[in-house]
Amino acid sequence: MTADAPARAGEGAGRPVDGVLLDIDDTLVDTRGAFAVALTAAASAFLPHVTADRHAEMLQVWRADGGDHYRRYTRGEIGYRDQRFARANELQRVFGGEPLDDQAYARWDAIFEDGFAGAWAAHEEASEVVDRLLDHGLAVGALSNAGVEYQTTKLRRVGLADRVEVLVGVDTLGVGKPDPAVFLEACRRLGTEPARTAYVGDELDVDALGAVAAGLVGVWVDRPGPRRVDVPPEDLTAARAAGVHVVTTLAELPVVLGVDVRG
Ligand SMILES: [Mg+2]
């Protein structure tokens, strides 16, 4: 295949795709890195006895969200502030800090959010990959389990908002992934058939398997480094058998989706 005879969209995925929907946090944006900055800032004020060598552990506890607070938020069971308040107090509990009351939490959140938003950055390959997908004529949009306005601000800050519109957030329908309704609504807004749309995200269950269950092509971004939650090998085998594609960087997407015209 040559550059003047480009691949038809999607041949590499086993079935054609006309569009790609992307998750934002830890998919397009290095949210893990931004959380590390935010948690370090919050800890310096509220967990001053926790030494720097334990900050990685703190990040792991935060990301694992053992109380499932963020997922309860994405299921519409609790509010955004409720989930973050609960997670902040979980961190205080695990690392031996004082429980936060409303007032203390307001200060905690201001420090955390300032550090978090100040550290937002796209993954280094994200911009180029988005360009390649668009150049190939694919429709590209974002579907996220956070709010549309917040995520649009985030994409603007990292330089992707001009090319990637946040089509659906958790506030669009009042629920998030893996509810099939949000995947289908994002496809409708993207203008592509679900069966001809790939969904790309860093969480195997809510992203890749959720997408497959909704009838899309599911792609799991399994970046190097500690996983947010443990994924047993048998779960990965089952996911692959269900049709999930696994990549370690977005740079592999054009090949997986069959839009790599260099070959
Ligand atoms: Mg994510």
Side-chain angles (χ1 to χ4, degrees):
M1 208 165 287
T2 64
D4 52 11
R8 280 185 32 238
E11 287 174 350
R15 66 188 210 219
V17 296
D18 302 317
V20 181
L21 290 165
L22 294 140
D23 169 55
I24 294 174
D25 290 310
D26 287 319
T27 297
L28 288 170
V29 173
D30 180 10
T31 308
R32 180 167 71 191
F35 275 147
V37 173
L39 289 168
T40 296
S44 72
F46 290 92
L47 294 168
H49 58 280
V50 176
T51 48
D53 60 318
R54 294 191 72 198
H55 284 182
E57 190 190 336
M58 216 165 53
L59 178 61
Q60 190 64 17
V61 168
W62 177 262
R63 294 181 76 227
D65 184 18
D68 230 17
H69 302 292
Y70 200 84
R71 291 208 172 173
R72 291 187 61 210
Y73 163 62
T74 65
R75 291 196 294 263
E77 295 169 9
I78 58 173
Y80 182 81
R81 181 183 181 277
D82 301 331
Q83 63 81 23
R84 193 179 264 187
F85 195 172
R87 292 173 74 186
N89 264 325
E90 176 73 3
L91 211 61
Q92 292 297 110
R93 187 186 64 75
V94 171
F95 290 91
E98 290 291 318
L100 306 172
D101 60 14
D102 278 315
Q103 232 177 6
Y105 171 70
R107 282 188 291 126
W108 186 99
D109 187 52
I111 293 169
F112 180 93
E113 189 60 28
D114 193 52
F116 185 47
W120 287 340
H123 277 290
E124 59 176 2
E125 79 280 15
S127 180
E128 188 190 329
V129 169
V130 166
D131 281 345
R132 288 184 62 195
L133 298 175
L134 290 169
D135 287 349
H136 198 75
L138 294 180
V140 175
L143 158 59
S144 166
N145 266 3
V148 170
E149 190 180 329
Y150 188 74
Q151 295 298 65
T152 300
T153 300
K154 193 181 283 177
L155 288 191
R156 192 177 303 125
R157 196 82 62 79
V158 306
L160 292 171
D162 57 331
R163 288 160 290 161
V164 184
E165 184 184 352
V166 183
L167 298 172
V168 171
V170 70
D171 49 344
T172 304
L173 299 179
V175 292
K177 303 168 289 185
D179 192 314
V182 295
F183 290 102
L184 300 180
E185 177 62 10
C187 290
R188 192 186 69 78
R189 293 180 185 216
L190 191 66
T192 55
E193 291 296 321
R196 296 175 63 93
T197 308
Y199 187 73
V200 183
D202 66 293
E203 296 190 47
L204 181 58
D205 51 358
V206 302
D207 291 336
L209 285 167
V212 168
L216 287 73
V217 175
V219 182
W220 182 39
V221 188
D222 181 27
R223 293 185 186 278
R227 287 174 176 159
R228 199 182 67 80
V229 292
D230 186 41
V231 176
E234 58 271 26
D235 286 8
L236 188 50
T237 303
R240 286 184 190 274
V244 168
H245 301 269
V246 183
V247 299
T248 58
T249 158
L250 297 180
E252 295 170 47
L253 266 189
V255 171
V256 166
L257 298 179
V259 300
D260 185 354
V261 297
R262 293 172 306 177

